[in-house]
Amino acid sequence: MTGYPDLHLFIGGAWRKTADTLPVVNPADESVLGALPVASKTDLDDALDAAAKGFRLWSRTAPRERQDIILRAARILRQRGDEIARHITMEHGKPFHEGQAEVIRGSEFLEWDAGECLRLYGRVIPGAEGIRHTVLRQPIGTVAAFAPWNFPMSQPARKIAGALASGCSVILKAAEETPAGALHIARAFQEAGLPDGVLNLVFGVPAEISSYLIPQDQVRLVAFTGSTAVGRHLTGLASQHMTSVLMELGGHAPVIVCDDVDPVLTGQVGASRKYRNAGQVCTSPTRFYVAQSLFSAFTDSFVARAKGLVVGDGLRAGVQMGPVANARRLEAMQVLVDDAVSKGAELRAGGRRIGNKGYFFEPTVLANVPDTAKIMDEEPFGPIAILNPVTSLDHGILEANKLPYGLAAYGFTHSAANVDRMMSDVEAGNLSINTLEASLPETPFGGVKWSGYGREGGEEGLHAYTVVKNVSHRMAIG
Ligand code: NAD
């Protein structure tokens, strides 16, 4: 079991085991790392009771005190960075240094929102003589949060940060494949002195847990990160109960490369970012629309970088890309590549599973991919890049906007006029120019169109977790 943590649910401040368990598998060698406890309805009822008590207490806790506890937890997580990174690599597959970076990022989410909780300002609206209107921002209630497997620590951290900073209690269902990141966060909060019941952690069958928790009156926000299909389903369920949603859903990020940049450098930058986390990132740069005049040089540079990547067990020194996270992704990659090639795409790098133990897939580059290929509509969520030429910026923007997704988009250019055009016309919640960094704790992150509702991070990050109450106060009765 090589030091992987013993897994428990965390309910009402206590750790518990369950009769039912699921295996957690190491994607690098398919060995079983541990037994994941599966929550029963009784466990979920206990979590709801605990979260109700937790909310009563935490929503009345002074912001400064909330901030202190969140910052203490973030400090503990940073101190344990290497241990947590190792567990993330074991369960998810990403290289150890990416796990370390993830722990830092998750801690930064907590630190940013801890600061924001001191700035949950209301306002006073002047009224007629003797009347004052006061606008308050109050915590929304218990949050049912669902975190995915691609960032086992930073994704749960982001949701917990927003909820706890706002004064909400949380029932977090973390990903079954990658439970250790969330487990470490719960441990850190317990040690930091978070009152019992404010944060509850469950695992289980995702559809059973969401269909049980979302209809409960007490649950006032469903915060989900995952695919558009599941997000749509959960939004439908929440709407039956007039429950708010915060949805961070799929993307299929376009990258517009204009004709005024260095194609070799831009190709290297593109390939370095594409294969981070084995491409399993909702903001992963995927559809590269490259100015025709640069296409050949850009493609050669991108392909050379992709072919040079060291792929292997993320715990091995020097590894730059690990396996994909599960067998489903491995199968999905092969289906998408085979389909694209059968429709006429050029396979310029990779395209096959590596070996037959562990879920390793080659860093893959497809060029001149026709619109009829599935991958042009379906987010690959894996190590596959699409490189297509475009005749102009207008053409690039048209291609970028043609999908129903709008999470991240990228542009490379030195021209202010091109930047201005992309700022106006690219349909995305996040547009980055000359960088493939899409989100920071201090910037608002989220999608438009099918990529979701609401924002995490930035000044907007606590909006979804709070409700606005207007109080009109007449000094004299009448
Ligand atoms: P999936 O659609 O089955 O699951 C996606 C996530 O949703 C998982 O974390 C899963 O536990 C959860 N989930 C599924 N059904 C649920 C339900 N009824 N209630 C609550 N949670 C539920 O697919 P998958 O194979 O796990 O992942 C593949 C796809 O998911 C990818 O193609 C990608 O688009 C998407 N995804 C997106 C993100 C992201 O950061 N936006 C993260 C992980 C996965």
Side-chain angles (χ1 to χ4, degrees):
M1 297 276 167
T2 58
Y4 189 75
D6 193 17
L7 301 169
H8 294 81
L9 309 181
F10 183 62
I11 295 173
W15 298 95
R16 65 168 78 164
K17 288 278 188 193
T18 59
D20 284 348
T21 61
L22 289 168
V24 179
V25 172
N26 181 341
D29 60 12
E30 300 178 45
S31 63
V32 173
L33 291 167
L36 179 90
V38 171
S40 64
K41 287 213 165 93
T42 309
D43 295 318
L44 296 180
D45 283 336
D46 291 347
L48 285 160
D49 284 348
K53 289 192 193 104
F55 181 69
R56 282 195 290 278
L57 187 72
W58 192 241
S59 58
R60 287 170 171 74
T61 300
R64 179 75 66 183
E65 213 176 307
R66 296 206 296 260
Q67 186 198 40
D68 284 350
I69 290 176
I70 298 170
L71 290 179
R72 222 175 291 146
R75 239 181 345 262
I76 294 169
L77 289 163
R78 280 181 184 272
Q79 281 159 3
R80 295 187 186 147
D82 283 1
E83 181 193 357
I84 301 171
R86 191 174 142 75
H87 295 157
I88 290 175
T89 295
M90 290 165 86
E91 65 187 10
H92 177 275
K94 69 184 66 190
F96 180 65
H97 67 269
E98 288 189 16
Q100 288 175 308
E102 184 183 334
V103 178
I104 292 169
R105 189 171 160 81
S107 305
E108 287 172 349
F109 289 148
L110 291 163
E111 289 154 1
W112 171 263
D113 280 348
E116 282 301 282
C117 90
L118 297 181
R119 292 183 278 275
L120 272 175
Y121 304 134
R123 68 187 193 278
V124 176
I125 301 171
E129 176 85 27
I131 298 186
R132 188 166 294 145
H133 309 286
T134 308
V135 180
L136 305 174
R137 283 177 71 189
Q138 297 181 313
I140 195 168
T142 296
V143 178
F146 298 87
W149 45 261
N150 56 338
F151 290 100
M153 188 273 178
S154 64
Q155 290 273 15
R158 196 157 219 188
K159 299 205 171 348
I160 291 169
L164 298 196
S166 304
C168 299
S169 60
V170 195
I171 302 173
L172 171 74
K173 189 206 78 62
E176 287 62 42
E177 290 105 328
T178 57
L183 187 93
H184 278 290
I185 297 175
R187 269 188 196 167
F189 270 103
Q190 188 182 34
E191 291 172 33
L194 186 74
D196 294 349
V198 179
L199 169 62
N200 304 278
L201 173 64
V202 298
F203 305 103
V205 179
E208 286 179 11
I209 294 184
S210 57
S211 63
Y212 193 71
L213 289 183
I214 293 173
Q216 308 287 339
D217 288 341
Q218 170 196 339
V219 169
R220 297 313 316 144
L221 174 71
V222 177
F224 172 75
T225 297
S227 61
T228 295
V230 176
R232 188 176 279 133
H233 168 68
L234 299 188
T235 301
L237 207 54
S239 75
Q240 302 297 307
H241 304 274
M242 300 307 286
T243 301
S244 294
V245 296
L246 173 60
M247 292 279 149
E248 301 290 357
L249 307 179
H252 200 312
V255 184
I256 301 173
V257 180
C258 298
D259 61 5
D260 62 337
V261 299
D262 175 346
V264 175
L265 176 63
T266 313
Q268 285 166 358
V269 169
S272 301
R273 189 69 176 194
K274 172 70 234 180
Y275 303 103
R276 185 178 70 106
N277 216 33
Q280 301 160 119
V281 187
C282 50
T283 57
S284 187
T286 296
R287 294 177 291 141
F288 289 81
Y289 293 115
V290 184
Q292 183 82 62
S293 58
L294 308 184
F295 189 67
S296 168
F298 177 92
T299 304
D300 289 349
S301 165
F302 196 107
V303 166
R305 179 57 70 101
K307 285 186 170 168
L309 287 172
V310 180
V311 182
D313 184 329
L315 287 179
R316 235 181 52 219
V319 162
Q320 293 167 301
M321 190 182 99
V324 292
N326 52 55
R328 296 192 301 288
R329 293 305 333 129
L330 194 62
E331 198 187 320
M333 293 309 100
Q334 200 63 66
V335 168
L336 290 172
V337 170
D338 292 349
D339 170 76
V341 171
S342 77
K343 306 251 170 72
E346 289 164 33
L347 183 60
R348 294 290 306 267
R352 290 280 164 270
R353 181 178 184 178
I354 303 171
N356 54 14
K357 197 81 179 157
Y359 309 133
F360 295 98
F361 199 82
E362 293 171 315
T364 297
V365 182
L366 292 168
N368 291 303
V369 186
D371 275 349
T372 49
K374 274 190 197 147
I375 198 167
M376 295 307 289
D377 297 318
E378 208 176 291
E379 180 185 22
F381 219 70
I384 308 179
I386 299 160
L387 314 188
N388 278 1
V390 286
T391 52
S392 63
L393 177 56
D394 281 353
H395 184 197
I397 292 175
L398 205 69
E399 294 292 313
N401 289 345
K402 74 182 176 192
L403 294 189
Y405 299 105
L407 190 59
Y410 307 93
F412 283 85
T413 183
H414 300 298
S415 151
N418 288 348
V419 173
D420 195 53
R421 180 73 215 288
M422 287 191 263
M423 283 174 70
S424 300
D425 295 342
V426 171
E427 295 167 359
N430 303 264
L431 172 66
S432 303
I433 307 291
N434 296 338
T435 169
L436 293 169
E437 185 62 64
S439 112
L440 296 168
E442 59 269 36
T443 57
F445 176 72
V448 297
K449 305 198 284 186
W450 286 9
S451 293
Y453 308 119
R455 294 293 179 267
E456 293 183 314
E459 186 194 318
E460 292 81 357
L462 303 190
H463 286 187
Y465 295 94
T466 53
V467 284
V468 169
K469 179 187 283 175
N470 182 63
V471 180
S472 293
H473 182 186
R474 199 171 195 280
M475 306 306 153
I477 295 176

